[in-house]
Amino acid sequence: EPPDTPKDFSCQTRDMRIVTCSWSQGGDTYLYGENLPKYSLSEESSQKMIPCTASCSKQCSCSWNIDQQRIWNVTVTVENALGKKTATDVFNVNHRIYPTAPFQLWEKCTDTEITLHWNHPNNKIELFCQTEVLQPDGKVELHNSSGMHLPHKSITVGGLQPFTEYTVRVRCGAAEHFWRWSEWSEALTIRTEEATPSGNLDIWREITPVLGGRNVTLFWKQAPGFRANGRSISYEVTWEKTEDESRPESISFSSVYNSTRIFIDNHSYKISIMAKNNVNFSLPSVLIISRATENSMKILFCSFLGTEELKAERVKGTDDGIFISWEPRCIYDSYIIDWCNFPKLQPCDLQWKRFGANTSSAVINSAAFVPGVRYNFHIYGSVGNRASLLEKKTGYLRELPPLLDPIVEKVELTFSAVTLSWDSYPTNESQSGFVGGYHVYVSPIQENCSLKGSKKHILSDNSELCEYTIENPEEKRYTVKHLMSNTKYRLAVKAYTGGGETPIVNFIYIDTPYNSNMLYFLLLLVIVPTLVAAICHWKQKWVKECCCPAIPSPNKSKVLSFKEFKIGSEKVLKISDCIPDMLAMDSKAEAQKL
């Protein structure tokens, strides 16, 4: 095949003495040996061949000495036995400068500035150079500078962080007629000088009253704006009374420490903590611990109001953490919330977070938070570096069912009821959720339950239990009524939380006794009638005379022993023959009639 037209043909110089032209050689011609494509360069203005030999690998190039000529019209010709093709580039050498990479970089630096120097082999070319500064966080900054015809050039980069490593490199291009950048120089890693620590430490305290004073555990951490600005850092803790000019006490710690405990008496104290490096101290962070008597007066006043002990309000977890809200008070300039990451351990890894005066809620999150652990939060208001406890909160990231079932310690049984007691069951923060109450389950063996006042509960095997609910977690006694006597029952007591309850696995079994009252009633019902019947049979004549006496004949009665006066066949008593013992009159009308 005939050769392709050379592509991307262009020429440039690095030093204003030698020009190099380059191009892409095109596709394969499938010709070999003497028939391979041959390249030649010519200058069209002078109609002369350019004395250079082309070399090709990925690209082809050809270089020659230009002497004083500045305007060039260069044509490249490629030909083989089947044809030839050409490409042309017209250029001014002054506009085609492609500098060599800067070399021999060195630096001078302070805590916030780096002055970078480098050399360039051609001092006749005025260059425009660019410095790349790679920040520690991966961010790249570019700084431009233009130099004169000097044997070495420089640039000063400011606004840097003290005692920080930066990686820099340089490239240059022609200042007057920019054609293209040179390659990057070799990268140079530079560390700025040390400086005084910047920003403040974030400090907090935990106060424990003891005999004769208080133990104060101090904590500190680097605030978001804090920078050590040095190779090594230490911490200095100083405390002094605020009421007199007593000599301050102080102690130093290495960088591996972030807490300490000191003892102070009942006076008011000012505590300050500073960071220190090889240059100087940082600004102090200050806490004021009030007099113990002031706290006592507050406790006394609260006791008078009936609010000596702040009750912890329950809070709930969310997908992002535990939501905390509080009532803002206008007198405070900030708020602090503290908590323990591991409340069941000692030390508990106390944490704290600060909020502005206009904040009244926050979502507290921590990588240490896990479901089923109760976290206690204290909310403080701070003004003038003095903190006062305002509210307490307690809650779970997510409640889980109780790990342990209540242990029934006492069973009181009658023929129709059973009373269960589980007094020792804990409802405190050892639980994996807030215990909301209890469920008592009962059912006859191999029968479904239908006791009065209960709800149905279906087990996984589709058997039915009667369910009773106790909604007071401190009520640890319950009586199940309306049981049948002489019957075997199974029972279970389960505690429930906001996370539910665990499946029923273990039952306790009881046998209700016989109903003795019913037995006595049956005995009476049989024995008493039998006894009465026997007595009646034994004293039959006496019973007959007492209960059923013989009826006398009226004709034998003395009341009829008077003179006979018959009306028909019956005797009639004349009133005149009867002398009454007493006469009673029913009314005056009857008396007058008589």
Side-chain angles (χ1 to χ4, degrees):
E1 294 181 4
D4 292 334
T5 301
K7 297 178 181 179
D8 304 321
F9 179 61
S10 67
C11 304
Q12 59 193 11
T13 181
R14 285 185 176 270
D15 54 9
M16 298 296 292
R17 293 184 298 107
I18 296 175
V19 168
T20 299
C21 294
S22 60
W23 63 93
S24 298
Q25 59 182 331
D28 195 349
T29 61
Y30 303 104
L31 297 175
Y32 305 98
E34 295 181 354
N35 295 320
L36 283 171
K38 295 179 177 59
Y39 297 96
S40 61
L41 273 68
S42 61
E43 209 288 316
E44 295 299 322
S45 301
S46 62
Q47 297 294 316
K48 293 181 179 180
M49 298 300 294
I50 296 175
C52 73
T53 301
S55 62
C56 296
S57 54
K58 292 183 178 179
Q59 274 198 326
C60 297
S61 65
C62 194
S63 302
W64 72 96
N65 195 318
I66 61 173
D67 295 328
Q68 300 299 318
Q69 185 176 340
R70 291 293 177 260
I71 306 299
W72 289 77
N73 185 351
V74 179
T75 298
V76 60
T77 301
V78 55
E79 61 180 326
N80 62 14
L82 300 179
K84 68 177 180 179
K85 296 288 176 63
T86 62
T88 300
D89 186 19
V90 179
F91 60 93
N92 185 334
V93 174
N94 293 331
H95 297 182
R96 293 291 181 89
I97 299 174
Y98 172 46
T100 56
F103 64 98
Q104 292 181 344
L105 274 68
W106 75 97
E107 86 288 343
K108 293 180 180 179
C109 63
T110 65
D111 57 342
T112 58
E113 288 184 346
I114 294 175
T115 300
L116 188 66
H117 302 266
W118 64 90
N119 287 329
H120 200 275
N122 195 328
N123 300 326
K124 296 180 181 179
I125 304 173
E126 184 176 354
L127 298 177
F128 172 78
C129 295
Q130 190 175 70
T131 303
E132 180 190 79
V133 180
L134 178 63
Q135 306 275 355
D137 59 1
K139 183 180 178 182
V140 174
E141 291 184 356
L142 296 175
H143 300 265
N144 297 328
S145 66
S146 58
M148 304 302 290
H149 305 288
L150 300 173
H152 68 268
K153 298 166 179 63
S154 66
I155 184 173
T156 298
V157 179
L160 305 179
Q161 297 290 345
F163 199 69
T164 303
E165 278 192 353
Y166 297 90
T167 301
V168 297
R169 58 182 184 170
V170 183
R171 63 183 179 179
C172 297
E176 188 174 356
H177 302 287
F178 182 84
W179 165 244
R180 60 184 296 188
W181 291 110
S182 70
E183 292 90 355
W184 287 106
S185 68
E186 290 186 1
L188 184 65
T189 299
I190 305 168
R191 182 184 290 277
T192 53
E193 297 292 329
E194 294 186 62
T196 300
S198 58
N200 295 81
L201 296 173
D202 187 359
I203 65 175
W204 190 233
R205 85 294 182 273
E206 188 177 44
I207 303 173
T208 305
V210 293
L211 185 64
R214 293 157 291 174
N215 282 333
V216 179
T217 305
L218 300 169
F219 304 89
W220 59 86
K221 60 185 176 181
Q222 297 179 359
F226 178 85
R227 290 187 59 86
N229 294 339
R231 187 182 310 275
S232 62
I233 194 169
S234 60
Y235 302 102
E236 182 156 312
V237 179
T238 304
W239 63 99
E240 59 183 327
K241 294 180 182 179
T242 61
E243 300 158 344
D244 54 39
E245 297 182 357
S246 59
R247 184 177 179 180
E249 297 181 72
S250 63
I251 187 170
S252 296
F253 299 91
S254 68
S255 59
V256 298
Y257 291 91
N258 62 0
S259 67
T260 187
R261 177 181 291 178
I262 62 173
F263 172 80
I264 60 175
D265 57 29
N266 292 322
H267 291 86
S268 176
Y269 275 80
K270 173 185 174 182
I271 300 174
S272 62
I273 304 178
M274 296 180 291
K276 182 183 182 298
N277 61 14
N278 294 331
V279 177
N280 207 340
F281 288 95
S282 69
L283 294 174
S285 299
V286 178
L287 279 175
I288 304 296
I289 308 296
S290 301
R291 288 176 57 90
T293 51
E294 293 178 14
N295 293 331
S296 300
M297 290 298 292
K298 290 180 182 178
I299 293 173
L300 184 61
F301 180 70
C302 291
S303 177
F304 176 76
L305 296 178
T307 59
E308 180 177 350
E309 180 66 25
L310 282 175
K311 290 186 177 180
E313 180 185 348
R314 292 183 181 181
V315 292
K316 292 185 177 181
T318 67
D319 293 338
D320 301 319
I322 299 176
F323 180 76
I324 306 290
S325 63
W326 61 91
E327 182 182 347
R329 281 83 161 174
C330 61
I331 63 171
Y332 297 112
D333 53 32
S334 65
Y335 298 95
I336 302 101
I337 299 178
D338 71 8
W339 70 93
C340 284
N341 267 344
F342 305 100
K344 296 181 180 180
L345 301 180
Q346 283 298 332
C348 69
D349 188 21
L350 184 74
Q351 301 291 316
W352 70 97
K353 197 170 183 179
R354 295 181 181 272
F355 302 91
N358 296 324
T359 305
S360 60
S361 64
V363 175
I364 305 298
N365 52 31
S366 169
F369 285 176
V370 293
V373 175
R374 187 183 299 186
Y375 298 96
N376 298 312
F377 302 88
H378 300 88
I379 302 168
Y380 297 83
S382 177
V383 59
N385 296 322
R386 296 175 187 262
S388 302
L389 179 61
L390 303 179
E391 299 179 28
K392 292 182 181 180
K393 309 287 182 177
T394 185
Y396 296 81
L397 183 65
R398 188 174 78 250
E399 292 188 61
L400 298 179
L403 296 176
L404 300 175
D405 293 335
I407 298 175
V408 178
E409 300 158 350
K410 189 177 181 181
V411 178
E412 300 174 10
L413 191 62
T414 68
F415 65 87
S416 64
V418 60
T419 300
L420 308 174
S421 301
W422 54 95
D423 294 333
S424 63
Y425 188 72
T427 57
N428 55 17
E429 56 192 19
S430 64
Q431 291 287 1
S432 54
F434 294 115
V435 177
Y438 308 94
H439 288 139
V440 177
Y441 299 98
V442 60
S443 175
I445 299 297
Q446 297 178 347
E447 291 184 33
N448 292 332
C449 183
S450 58
L451 294 178
K452 183 179 178 181
S454 66
K455 295 190 303 182
K456 282 187 178 181
H457 180 82
I458 309 298
L459 295 177
S460 57
D461 61 359
N462 292 324
S463 61
E464 291 183 7
L465 299 176
C466 285
E467 176 188 312
Y468 298 91
T469 301
I470 305 170
E471 296 182 348
N472 181 3
E474 299 306 321
E475 186 178 337
K476 302 175 184 179
R477 180 183 175 91
Y478 191 77
T479 299
V480 181
K481 301 178 180 178
H482 310 294
L483 301 180
M484 294 181 292
S485 63
N486 193 27
T487 304
K488 190 166 187 173
Y489 287 90
R490 58 177 180 170
L491 300 100
V493 179
K494 305 287 290 185
Y496 65 86
T497 67
E501 65 181 52
T502 55
I504 303 172
V505 177
N506 298 316
F507 288 91
I508 60 174
Y509 296 88
I510 61 168
D511 290 288
T512 54
Y514 286 99
N515 188 343
S516 57
N517 293 334
M518 183 63 70
L519 184 61
Y520 295 151
F521 177 74
L522 290 174
L523 289 174
L524 290 174
L525 194 63
V526 173
I527 293 174
V528 171
T530 303
L531 184 60
V532 170
I535 293 173
C536 289
H537 181 72
W538 180 40
K539 296 288 187 177
Q540 182 177 5
K541 184 177 180 180
W542 176 81
V543 170
K544 183 177 180 181
E545 289 178 354
C546 289
C547 298
C548 301
I551 300 174
S553 174
N555 294 323
K556 295 179 180 182
S557 175
K558 293 180 179 180
V559 74
L560 297 180
S561 60
F562 50 81
K563 292 180 179 182
E564 292 186 5
F565 175 72
K566 291 185 179 181
I567 299 177
S569 60
E570 294 183 1
K571 291 183 178 182
V572 178
L573 177 65
K574 292 182 181 179
I575 295 177
S576 59
D577 294 334
C578 180
I579 301 174
D581 295 327
M582 182 172 52
L583 181 64
M585 291 181 291
D586 290 337
S587 64
K588 291 182 179 181
E590 286 291 330
Q592 291 174 358
K593 183 178 180 181
L594 289 173

